[in-house]
Amino acid sequence: MSEREPMRVQIKVRHYELDTLGHLNHAVYHSYAEVARLELLERAGVLADGLREEQLGSVILETHVRFRRELRAGDVVEVTCDTVFGEGKTFQMNSNIYKLDGTLAAEISCTLGLMDLERRKLVEDPRARFERAGVDLKVLSTAE
């Protein structure tokens, strides 16, 4: 098991992202997790040409948010992201949103797969397919 921490990115909560109660709108939590996922994918080389050459693309199959603490305009948060591979055709990309004082504001889990873009079907063993496409698995997952 790696000693590396999950990737982190900072985001400032903007006024237009609030709901009528003055809290961060529930849908925006998904957007923050997407920012962190794309940053991690870019750092690991997923967004380079390797997957495109393999005719593969990552697809989100399911996403779930557990709200822990409210966020308000002006709050600065750190959003983590890490990848967990298991068996089969899917993998997890998990994010936590923390206030700068360390308070956990939300937990977001996403189930993804790698789709064969010609067949429009998920491929087996996404971890191996990422590796074959030149993705840096040590950046993508702390479990590597």
Side-chain angles (χ1 to χ4, degrees), residues 6 9 12 23-24 34 40 50 53 56-57 63 68 73 75 89 91 96 100 105-106 111 115 120 125 132 135:
V9 61
K12 184 176 180 180
H23 303 135
L24 185 65
E34 181 74 1
L40 179 59
E53 290 169 5
L56 297 173
T63 184
R68 298 295 190 178
D75 286 345
K89 297 179 180 182
F91 58 99
N96 290 327
L100 290 184
T111 302
M115 179 184 282
R120 308 307 284 181
D125 196 2
R132 187 162 78 197
V135 172

Side-chain angles (χ1 to χ4, degrees), residues 89-115:
K89 297 179 180 182
T90 64
F91 58 99
Q92 300 289 313
M93 291 190 83
N94 301 313
S95 293
N96 290 327
I97 299 177
Y98 295 98
K99 295 182 175 188
L100 290 184
D101 68 3
T103 302
L104 179 63
E107 299 166 289
I108 303 155
S109 61
C110 294
T111 302
L112 297 93
L114 278 181
M115 179 184 282

Side-chain angles (χ1 to χ4, degrees), residues 17-70:
E17 297 173 323
L18 305 181
D19 62 18
T20 57
L21 299 174
H23 303 135
L24 185 65
N25 181 280
H26 66 93
V28 180
Y29 287 84
H30 293 283
S31 295
Y32 285 8
E34 181 74 1
V35 168
R37 273 194 307 278
L38 288 173
E39 181 68 26
L40 179 59
L41 292 172
E42 183 177 21
R43 289 181 190 183
V46 173
L47 302 181
D49 291 336
L51 280 184
R52 196 170 316 125
E53 290 169 5
E54 296 279 329
Q55 290 293 306
L56 297 173
S58 63
V59 292
I60 295 179
L61 304 170
E62 181 179 312
T63 184
H64 176 77
V65 179
R66 178 169 285 136
F67 303 100
R68 298 295 190 178
R69 295 288 182 272
E70 67 183 2

